[in-house]
Amino acid sequence: GAGVSQTPSNKVTEKGKYVELRCDPISGHTALYWYRQSLGQGPEFLIYFQGTGAADDSGLPNDRFFAVRPEGSVSTLKIQRTERGDSAVYLCASSPGGVDGYTFGSGTRLTVV
Amino acid sequence: AQSVTQLGSHVSVSEGALVLLRCNYSSSVPPYLFWYVQYPNQGLQLLLKYTSAATLVKGINGFEAEFKKSETSFHLTKPSAHMSDAAEYFCAVSDEGGTYKYIFGTGTRLKVLA
C-alpha cells in the first residue's frame, strides 16, 4: 500500500482482556517496528522485525506482550491480560532497511478501562 | 545508554518569525539523527535526517537542522513560521546498540501565533 496502515485506529477494552493490534507495512519494506507512545512522551521502542523474525524484542515490557509477522508483511501486536497502564498509542513503522528513517502509521489508541 | 533531550516542551512563535527547536543527544559516537513532526491524531512524519553526510541537512516544509558534534546538538530551524507549522516535533537518535532502533525525545509542541 501507499503508507503504513494500522487497525483499529481506536480500541477500548476492559482490564484483563486480550487485544490484537494490526499493522500493514509499505509493500516491499522488510523492516517493521512497533513503538508505544504514552501521553506527553515520545515513542518508545518495543520490537523490530527483519522479515519474519523478531531481530530485537528488548523493548517489550513483559511477557504479556507478543508480536508476530508470519509472512514477513503484516504484523500483529498481541497483549494479554491488559492493564490500565497499557493505555497508550501503539505506533507501527516500516522501512526498506538501512538508516533512511521510518515511515510511521497513524497508530492505534488503546484505552484499558 | 543513548538519550535525547529536547529543551522546551512548548514553544510559541509569531507567524513569520524564526523557529528554533532544540535537541541534544548523549552519545560520544556520532549517531544518526532525525526530526519527526506529528500533527493531531496522526502518525509521525519524517522531516529530515542526518546520516553522516553534510552537517547541514535540509528537510521538507522549509525546515533544516545542523549537526554539531562538538555541542552534541541537532537543532531544528525554519526562517519564517507558518500557521500550518503548529504541531509536535520529535527529535530522535539511533541507539548505540543498533542503528535500526531510535531513541525519541519527549517532544516540543510548537504554537504559531497570528
Side-chain angles (χ1 to χ4, degrees):
Chain A
V4 178
S5 176
Q6 291 189 246
T7 55
S9 55
N10 279 284
K11 176 72 176 178
V12 180
T13 191
E14 293 181 345
K15 180 176 175 296
K17 298 290 188 182
Y18 168 82
V19 296
E20 289 189 352
L21 312 179
R22 176 189 167 105
C23 173
D24 198 342
I26 291 173
S27 179
H29 279 190
T30 57
L32 184 146
Y33 316 82
W34 284 98
Y35 279 73
R36 179 168 70 173
Q37 187 176 18
S38 300
L39 196 63
Q41 300 296 316
E44 293 179 307
F45 173 82
L46 293 177
I47 188 169
Y48 156 56
F49 286 91
Q50 183 59 249
T52 60
D56 183 348
D57 65 357
S58 62
L60 295 178
N62 52 60
D63 62 6
R64 296 187 296 106
F65 288 74
F66 190 69
V68 295
R69 195 186 185 199
E71 297 177 357
S73 178
V74 171
S75 177
T76 305
L77 179 65
K78 309 180 181 194
I79 311 174
Q80 298 177 322
R81 304 184 304 280
T82 52
E83 300 177 356
R84 291 197 179 87
D86 299 335
S87 297
V89 176
Y90 289 82
L91 295 166
C92 177
S94 70
S95 78
V99 293
D100 285 339
Y102 310 152
T103 300
F104 278 92
S106 298
T108 294
R109 182 176 298 278
L110 176 66
T111 304
V112 182
V113 297
Chain B
Q2 182 69 275
S3 66
V4 177
T5 302
Q6 289 186 243
L7 204 60
S9 58
H10 292 80
V11 170
S12 293
V13 299
S14 298
E15 191 174 20
L18 172 72
V19 176
L20 170 61
L21 305 182
R22 299 177 187 276
C23 174
N24 289 86
Y25 63 93
S26 63
S27 177
S28 59
V29 176
Y32 301 121
L33 294 151
F34 308 86
W35 275 98
Y36 281 85
V37 60
Q38 187 174 37
Y39 297 100
N41 299 316
Q42 294 187 26
L44 286 84
Q45 180 183 3
L46 182 65
L47 269 180
L48 50 78
K49 60 181 184 278
Y50 167 76
T51 56
S52 74
T55 56
L56 182 62
V57 181
K58 294 188 184 298
I60 62 171
N61 301 339
F63 284 93
E64 63 182 36
E66 186 172 7
F67 170 66
K68 291 187 176 180
K69 182 180 176 182
S70 60
E71 299 177 8
T72 59
S73 70
F74 192 57
H75 301 330
L76 182 71
T77 61
K78 181 174 181 178
S80 177
H82 192 272
M83 298 297 287
S84 61
D85 295 326
E88 187 144 27
Y89 292 80
F90 291 92
C91 179
V93 59
S94 57
D95 192 38
E96 290 168 340
T99 56
Y100 55 82
K101 184 192 299 185
Y102 298 170
I103 310 300
F104 283 82
T106 52
T108 296
R109 186 169 297 279
L110 177 66
K111 186 174 182 179
V112 182
L113 307 171

